[in-house]
Amino acid sequence: MSPKSCLGCTKCFLFLLNLFFFFLGILLLAFSFWVLFDRQSFAAVLGSPLVSLRVWSYGFSGVGIVTMLLGFLGCLGALKEVKVMLGLYFGLLLLLLAAQITVAIIIYTQRSALATKVATYAEELIQGYPAQGPPGDPHESWDAVQQQLSCCGWKGPQDWDHHDDTTRDMDRDRAIACSCLRAPNSTHKTPWMLPHGRCPTAAPQDIFPSGCKERVQTWLAGNLVTIAGVCIGIALGELSLLMLSMFLVRNLDSHYEKLLRGL
């Protein structure tokens, strides 16, 4: 294959790949808006609290905007052979890859400290869970975690016995969160709505027996290969785009600078 044909194939491949990323960014951004504004269908089905919807929406918005920006720079730079855009594209992609590697290293080296902080935070949420009245946003988020993971407490249902002594005598019958209870067997077509607050003591078979710590560890163990494969695939894809963009910058038409001066 001639150098000119090789350069044309590189431009075409880089353009198509970044066009895909551009539309993927649009989809992520649109999905973030749907998560935030279409609360009725989303929240009713999944039972997620509003604070969780906001966090997920902002996260998807940020990822969508960055993906759109990278896709736009890559597409236009490859199509028009603009060195400035390709150089900016290369720099942003390199920063993104470096940030991902840094975060992965921090999570791996500080995994014990992170696990301790998560456990402490979960225990504080359980101890501060209100015995009466509607719970706050953090407690609603914990209700969503327990319902979606089918777990109760951090280590187990016994965590809910460790509430304040002042409320133990007053609310002896309301010692466990309603989100620890299994969905009732019902023939109604309405979906099971996420309950909030404390419920009267239920039979052991009606309470999720496992703690959320065990559920999270089980999920991670079962999906570790998939997670590692996705991360490695993303890193290899970014490395390929880096090499393609640098190859294109270094092998652009020699008349490019003359064309710019003529404009």
Side-chain angles (χ1 to χ4, degrees):
M1 181 181 294
S2 64
K4 188 175 182 179
S5 300
C6 184
L7 186 62
C9 291
T10 303
K11 287 172 53 179
C12 182
F13 183 75
L14 191 62
F15 173 79
L16 292 177
L17 195 57
N18 282 282
L19 185 63
F20 167 76
F21 282 123
F22 180 77
F23 285 110
L24 179 62
I26 293 177
L27 289 176
L28 289 174
L29 193 60
F31 181 73
S32 69
F33 289 142
W34 176 72
V35 168
L36 184 61
F37 293 110
D38 194 9
R39 297 174 187 171
Q40 183 175 1
S41 60
F42 190 85
V45 175
L46 297 184
S48 298
L50 183 59
V51 64
S52 298
L53 294 179
R54 290 198 192 101
V55 171
W56 280 107
S57 177
Y58 297 153
F60 277 118
S61 297
V63 173
I65 292 172
V66 172
T67 304
M68 287 176 60
L69 178 60
L70 287 174
F72 174 77
L73 292 174
C75 284
L76 195 58
L79 184 64
K80 297 296 184 179
E81 298 183 358
V82 181
K83 283 186 176 181
V84 176
M85 285 190 173
L86 288 174
L88 184 59
Y89 171 80
F90 178 86
L92 290 177
L93 195 57
L94 184 61
L95 286 176
L96 180 62
L97 180 60
Q100 291 171 349
I101 294 175
T102 303
V103 170
I105 293 175
I106 291 175
I107 292 176
Y108 180 78
T109 56
Q110 302 294 324
R111 59 188 183 278
S112 299
L114 290 174
T116 302
K117 289 182 179 180
V118 171
T120 302
Y121 180 71
E123 292 171 359
E124 290 176 353
L125 282 180
I126 293 173
Q127 292 176 0
Y129 198 94
Q132 294 179 349
D137 283 346
H139 303 105
E140 289 184 357
S141 298
W142 183 250
D143 283 339
V145 169
Q146 291 191 140
Q147 278 290 305
Q148 292 170 7
L149 294 182
S150 300
C151 58
C152 184
W154 180 245
K155 297 178 182 178
Q158 67 274 10
D159 291 348
W160 289 99
D161 297 332
H162 299 160
H163 50 281
D164 296 337
D165 293 336
T166 57
T167 61
R168 181 171 300 177
D169 295 334
M170 184 183 305
D171 298 283
R172 187 181 300 273
D173 293 333
R174 304 177 67 82
I176 198 167
C178 297
S179 55
C180 282
L181 304 180
R182 302 177 187 271
N185 295 325
S186 175
T187 58
H188 298 293
K189 295 182 180 180
T190 57
W192 166 248
M193 300 298 293
L194 175 65
H196 298 302
R198 295 183 184 272
C199 288
T201 303
Q205 63 269 19
D206 295 332
I207 301 174
F208 296 127
S210 302
C212 295
K213 177 182 179 181
E214 179 183 349
R215 288 291 187 179
V216 171
Q217 291 176 342
T218 302
W219 184 87
L220 289 175
N223 296 273
L224 184 60
V225 176
T226 302
I227 295 173
V230 170
C231 293
I232 293 174
I234 292 174
L236 291 177
E238 291 173 346
L239 283 175
S240 300
L241 290 174
L242 285 172
M243 290 187 293
L244 288 174
S245 60
M246 181 54 63
F247 173 80
L248 192 59
V249 169
R250 294 176 61 89
N251 293 274
L252 284 175
D253 193 347
S254 58
H255 298 290
Y256 175 76
E257 299 294 341
K258 296 180 181 180
L259 179 61
L260 281 183
R261 288 195 293 267
L263 297 176

